[in-house]
Amino acid sequence: MDGINVDLADLEESRPILKSKRFLNNGKCEYAAGYSHLNELIRFNKNMKPKVIHEPAECSFIKNKRDLILFGIRSKPESSDFREAIRQSWLSEPIWDWLGFEIKVFFIKKDRSDVFKIAFIIGRPEEVDLTREMQLNDDLLVLDFDENQYNLAYKDIGFYKFIKRACFVADFVFIGDDDILLVPQNLVREIEIIKSAAEIQAIGCLIHDESVDRNPESKYFVPNQFYSPKKYPQYFSGGGYVVSLRTGLTIKKIKKINIKCTTRIKISHSK
């Protein structure tokens, strides 16, 4: 595996407590509880190209005057309760009926103009059997990589690849986490803003001038070998953002380039 070659010796010199937290597990160097996120960092593969284990059906949608909006919700294999809560709450039929939408399968059709499709994006299920959920719901995009903080960006990349491969007729893309509460009326309003203003192609919580976390005790720890600047560039919080399809595919291209470059940011969002 091609990792990022984190200098653990240098790290332990600056943080002596790390030495007491390190142990051998089946011949591999690992860190104990409280610092176990460093194990994910050690195993990180900068050249990983996750394969698709399972994906929803293609968008059987004939382009017309309606807008197609795709929901990509980041989730973990064990978070089935969260996914079901979303299906039963802010993506439930009564709410969208109240807004003038009709829900069929995973398309939410508005009598006038809008259609929706949902996909939950998760990493490789190690000890979780998703067979039943896959049979009941055609909305799981399962990718072959370990679930951890440092691999989060691969969920966005995998979702955009799915869109390009199977749902290229989409007009808008919403990506968010499974622990958010989305207000449908607000999302409809933001989409109308994007549609009416040519200079606005994406809406979300814009984070700027945020310092990179260099504390190895933090799960958001990013070493210099990972990303050397002291500040992150501007980015949307991963909690949720909506973009036009054109902008979304541009983001996908940028992330693809970043995987191959020396300067990479491998976390889709921070604190």
Side-chain angles (χ1 to χ4, degrees), residues 74 156 174-177 179-180 205 207 235-241 268-270:
R74 305 185 200 91
D156 290 32
F174 175 87
I175 294 185
D177 294 334
D179 57 356
I180 67 170
C205 180
I207 308 296
Y235 68 96
F236 280 136
S237 167
Y241 63 89
S268 68
H269 63 296
S270 63

Side-chain angles (χ1 to χ4, degrees), residues 45 55 60-61 91 99 103 122 153 164 174 194 202 251 253 260:
N45 180 1
E55 66 181 13
S60 55
F61 177 74
L91 284 177
L99 290 172
I103 301 174
I122 62 180
K164 189 172 182 179
F174 175 87
I194 294 176
I251 293 173
K253 289 180 182 178
K260 298 178 180 178

Side-chain angles (χ1 to χ4, degrees), residues 17-35:
I17 190 175
L18 288 176
K19 294 181 180 179
S20 64
K21 299 294 182 180
R22 175 165 43 87
F23 65 98
L24 283 178
N25 182 18
N26 294 325
K28 295 182 179 179
C29 175
E30 291 195 357
Y31 288 92
Y35 296 88

